[in-house]
Amino acid sequence: MKDYFNISLDGSQLQSISSIGLAHLGDAVYELLVRSWLCAHGRATGKGLHRAAVELVKAPAQAQRAEKILPLLTEEELAVYKRGRNAHVHTIPHNASRADYLKATALECLLGWLYLRGEKDRINRLFAVMMEEDGDAA
């Protein structure tokens, strides 16, 4: 049986997945990280937990966090990010600009790609930077 919690696909397998497919998975990875971060930091409880998670996973918030990690990306990671940013999306949520939505899609694509490569440590390091506030870990 394949262990989908600890999956690792090779380059050719990853190339065959569309940028939208990677972003679809990356969206779930990001959501899980945000929910874990909120619980671990005691930021909210009950309904407040859901509202806090929604605020952090909205496209504008994701776009802002994506900007924080861009300078840290390798060439290969940046290429995946750009692949996601150039995805052909057909609907933009009303609470996001097209630019923010494409940055959020790019971030999700990168997270999905890293997850499928089995690079949880890299995801964690990038997420930690995304969640820093005023230069200090939150």
Side-chain angles (χ1 to χ4, degrees):
M1 176 172 79
K2 194 169 208 103
D3 180 358
Y4 291 100
F5 277 113
N6 295 298
I7 196 163
S8 184
L9 302 182
D10 66 30
S12 64
Q13 290 172 304
L14 286 167
Q15 250 340 88
S16 70
I17 302 170
S18 72
S19 54
I20 296 298
L22 292 172
H24 178 72
L25 178 59
D27 176 59
V29 170
Y30 185 73
E31 174 109 13
L32 180 59
L33 290 167
V34 164
R35 287 176 180 220
S36 299
W37 185 86
L38 287 168
C39 287
H41 287 85
R43 293 291 172 117
T45 56
K47 282 185 192 176
L49 182 59
H50 176 71
R51 280 190 218 113
V54 167
E55 285 303 312
L56 289 169
V57 299
K58 284 182 180 178
Q62 285 188 30
Q64 181 182 27
R65 284 173 167 73
E67 291 289 333
K68 293 173 89 172
I69 64 165
L70 282 177
L72 306 175
L73 300 183
T74 66
E75 280 185 40
E76 190 176 25
E77 291 167 346
L78 188 57
V80 172
Y81 177 89
K82 288 178 180 178
R83 178 180 160 196
R85 190 186 60 205
N86 295 331
H88 297 289
V89 294
H90 300 290
T91 9
I92 308 289
H94 68 278
N95 67 345
S97 69
R98 182 168 183 78
D100 280 351
Y101 191 72
L102 292 176
K103 286 178 190 174
T105 301
L107 174 62
E108 291 170 349
C109 184
L110 174 64
L111 292 175
W113 181 80
L114 287 168
Y115 177 80
L116 289 174
R117 284 175 53 117
E119 296 193 33
K120 290 189 219 163
D121 287 341
R122 180 65 173 154
I123 293 169
N124 196 51
R125 284 193 305 274
L126 292 173
F127 185 74
V129 172
M130 283 188 256
M131 300 308 287
E132 286 176 354
E133 296 174 1
D134 300 323
D136 296 323

